[in-house]
Amino acid sequence: MLKKRIVICLDVKDGRTTKGVNFLNNVDIGDPVEMAEEYYKQGVDELVFYDIMASHQGRGPILDLISRVASKVFIPFCVGGGIGTVEDIRATIAAGAEKVSLNSQAVKNPGLISEGAAVFGKQCIVLGMDAARDAEAPSGYRVFINGGRTKTNLDALEWAKKAVELGAGEIVLNSIDGDGRKTGYEIPLTKMISENVSVPVVASGGGGKPEHLAEVLTAGKADAALIASMVHSGEYTVGSIKRTLSAYGIAVRPGNSI
């Protein structure tokens, strides 16, 4: 049985880890290098580092910070934000990332997915998707870009399928409606995407307690669950979450006791 993964997200703004609700009112919560090292010690399976201002500001990734984070963790490390060219992908991987997340830039230039997959392999190319409920979209969910600021004409399910056809090897699926609220994942959205693509789906947006992860990993059929607020607050550790998931009969890699 394939083990389910726990992924911690570090949203970075001006070189600091930040957290908001529905992409708004972000507050500084710490140093991303120190936090990455701590979560690695706790036994997290993967880390995702999002530069949440890069696309909005029209710049590339902060390579020095990526390199410093990568030097502290020895698990898969994915980086997103401002990666708009194959050269950006190459530089990000050279700085220490195993994978890159393409979100706004992939919508603006879908060929970047196929170009990146051709050069670096599908396993390196992750589609980051921010979706929100929209009754006018065929699937009931619409894609947003630029950190959730800009509505697109893309339907979430159609875009997920298209991105996989182009070469995306994984999808990180973030619910804008649930982002930062800690009230649970968007199960219908996650289940719909998971059942209709052939690559792993990481559920994001809404995790507030271990039971939420258990639900999205089973009913939502996600391969992994991304969390932020519930561990950044200190309320839970990776180890405590994994012990709860194991008690629900969900196969996970062991976490540390801290």
Side-chain angles (χ1 to χ4, degrees):
M1 180 187 296
L2 285 175
K3 290 181 169 61
K4 301 290 189 177
R5 291 173 286 140
I6 305 301
V7 182
I8 290 180
C9 177
L10 301 174
D11 285 334
V12 176
K13 178 181 180 182
D14 302 325
R16 300 283 293 177
T17 305
T18 183
K19 196 72 192 92
V21 176
N22 303 129
F23 292 87
L24 300 172
N25 303 318
N26 290 72
V27 294
D28 185 323
I29 57 172
D31 175 74
V33 180
E34 294 175 359
M35 294 176 72
E37 185 174 21
E38 169 61 20
Y39 293 137
Y40 169 67
K41 290 177 179 177
Q42 288 186 19
V44 72
D45 299 306
E46 295 188 23
L47 282 170
V48 176
F49 172 113
Y50 286 138
D51 185 332
I52 64 172
M53 296 301 293
S55 290
H56 183 61
Q57 294 175 348
R59 60 169 172 77
I62 305 174
L63 298 175
D64 173 64
L65 187 56
I66 293 167
S67 179
R68 287 192 287 130
V69 171
S71 72
K72 299 293 185 180
V73 302
F74 303 94
I75 52 176
F77 174 39
C78 179
V79 172
I83 299 172
T85 66
V86 169
E87 289 70 31
D88 287 337
I89 297 174
R90 180 177 286 108
T92 302
I93 292 173
E98 280 78 23
K99 299 186 276 191
V100 297
S101 178
L102 306 177
N103 189 320
S104 302
Q105 299 298 332
V107 170
K108 296 169 185 175
N109 175 22
L112 181 61
I113 298 174
S114 50
E115 291 171 24
V119 175
F120 303 101
K122 292 183 178 182
Q123 78 283 352
C124 290
I125 307 300
V126 177
L127 176 72
M129 186 198 308
D130 294 318
R133 298 183 204 112
D134 186 336
E136 295 181 359
S139 70
Y141 295 89
R142 186 172 300 278
V143 176
F144 284 68
I145 60 173
N146 297 331
R149 298 175 183 87
T150 306
K151 183 177 182 178
T152 75
N153 61 359
L154 291 174
D155 176 75
L157 180 56
E158 292 175 6
W159 177 228
K161 290 179 177 179
K162 178 65 174 177
V164 172
E165 289 176 9
L166 288 169
E170 184 173 75
I171 296 174
V172 174
L173 176 62
N174 185 54
S175 164
I176 293 175
D177 302 297
D179 183 78
R181 291 188 172 276
K182 300 195 289 185
T183 54
Y185 295 89
E186 187 77 2
I187 302 299
L189 170 65
T190 308
K191 182 172 184 286
M192 175 180 66
I193 301 295
S194 297
E195 289 181 335
N196 283 281
V197 298
S198 58
V199 301
V201 173
V202 182
S204 172
K209 57 184 180 179
E211 287 76 13
H212 291 155
L213 280 76
E215 183 183 24
V216 82
L217 292 170
T218 53
K221 300 192 176 181
D223 298 275
L226 184 147
I227 54 177
S229 302
M230 61 188 290
V231 286
H232 294 341
S233 67
E235 187 175 1
Y236 298 98
T237 65
V238 174
S240 69
I241 293 167
K242 287 190 171 184
R243 286 191 293 275
T244 300
L245 295 179
S246 293
Y248 277 97
I250 297 170
V252 293
R253 296 181 183 88
N256 294 330
S257 59
I258 58 173

